[in-house]
Amino acid sequence: MRPVQLFAGLAALCAGMVALPSAAQAEPTTTWTVKIQNLTPSGSQPLSPPVVVVHSPSVHVWQMGRFASRGVAAVAEDGDAPRLIKEVSKRPGVRAAFAAASAPIAPGKTATFQVKVRPGDRISIVSMLVNTNDGFTGVDALPPRPGSVRTMAYDAGSEKNLETKATIPGPCCNNPMVRAPEKRPISKHKGIMACGDLDRDTYGWTGQVAELTFAR
């Protein structure tokens, strides 16, 4: 084969390779509508604007039995969504992170948002029970599927459950950014224990505290 013919063949092959779409470009996305409903009793526990994170399967925003990151603790203690969004946005494998509401979700009320996911993506959510020290609810690396999921209350383990007006940011007490630190792994929340200023009948709950409904 003459050199001119060889170079012409290579040029044509390279041109063909460049024309092929990349895997990322060809990868489809699906839009999901997600509704979050607060299941706690009337007047008890508003939910802070939920932080929603879309990420690859290798990422975990939080996990039962593990220590909460500073961003997760910031949401669980004070409903500080921007801090967690900033934290997770720096992680490899995170596609998107945002607050799903502009205000707390009152008991019995709902918030609805849309999210785009790629095949294999997971969704994590973190939302504070605002009349607690560091209680939160949400999901960890959930594959989106049509239907509903109910979520329980978790204890972030980053602040003592004093249940005092001086240490709780919610409308029962209005004292944000006041901490009584501790260092324990994330665990199931024991509920309002009436060990401080909070009345169990007013601010307590039983069972699951939120319901997530997914629809394409």
Side-chain angles (χ1 to χ4, degrees):
M1 180 181 291
R2 295 180 180 179
V4 173
Q5 292 175 316
L6 175 62
F7 292 140
L10 289 173
L13 176 62
C14 290
M17 291 174 64
V18 171
L20 289 174
S22 68
Q25 290 173 325
E27 198 170 30
T29 61
T30 302
T31 300
W32 290 86
T33 297
V34 185
K35 181 175 71 175
I36 302 178
Q37 181 178 9
N38 185 337
L39 300 179
T40 64
S42 177
S44 61
Q45 294 291 335
L47 300 177
S48 71
V51 174
V52 179
V53 186
V54 181
H55 53 82
S56 67
S58 62
V59 175
H60 285 277
V61 176
W62 64 275
Q63 290 178 277
M64 276 277 285
R66 299 291 184 90
F67 291 106
S69 69
R70 291 184 178 181
V72 170
V75 172
E77 294 175 15
D78 291 293
D80 188 350
R83 182 164 181 175
L84 178 55
I85 291 169
K86 182 178 179 180
E87 176 185 276
V88 298
S89 295
K90 300 175 182 178
R91 296 185 189 176
V94 171
R95 320 283 194 206
F98 58 94
S102 58
I105 306 170
K109 300 299 183 180
T110 63
T112 303
F113 63 94
Q114 290 189 328
V115 62
K116 293 181 181 294
V117 299
R118 302 175 187 177
D121 277 352
R122 304 289 189 265
I123 296 176
S124 292
I125 296 176
V126 184
S127 175
M128 180 189 186
L129 280 70
V130 302
N131 289 325
T132 66
N133 284 101
D134 62 341
F136 74 97
T137 192
V139 291
D140 165 38
L142 180 72
R145 297 188 182 95
S148 297
V149 175
R150 290 196 169 192
T151 65
M152 60 187 285
Y154 300 93
D155 188 328
S158 57
E159 183 175 333
K160 296 176 182 177
N161 294 330
L162 301 179
E163 299 181 5
T164 58
K165 291 183 178 180
T167 59
I168 294 178
C172 69
C173 309
N174 293 312
N175 282 303
M177 306 300 176
V178 180
R179 303 190 65 229
E182 67 176 354
K183 188 69 173 177
R184 295 186 296 105
I186 295 171
S187 62
K188 181 179 178 180
H189 203 290
K190 295 180 180 179
I192 300 300
M193 305 301 292
C195 59
D197 300 321
L198 299 191
D199 176 67
R200 183 186 288 112
D201 292 337
T202 302
Y203 300 107
W205 66 88
T206 57
Q208 291 95 344
V209 296
E211 182 174 72
L212 309 175
T213 302
F214 292 81
R216 287 187 172 181

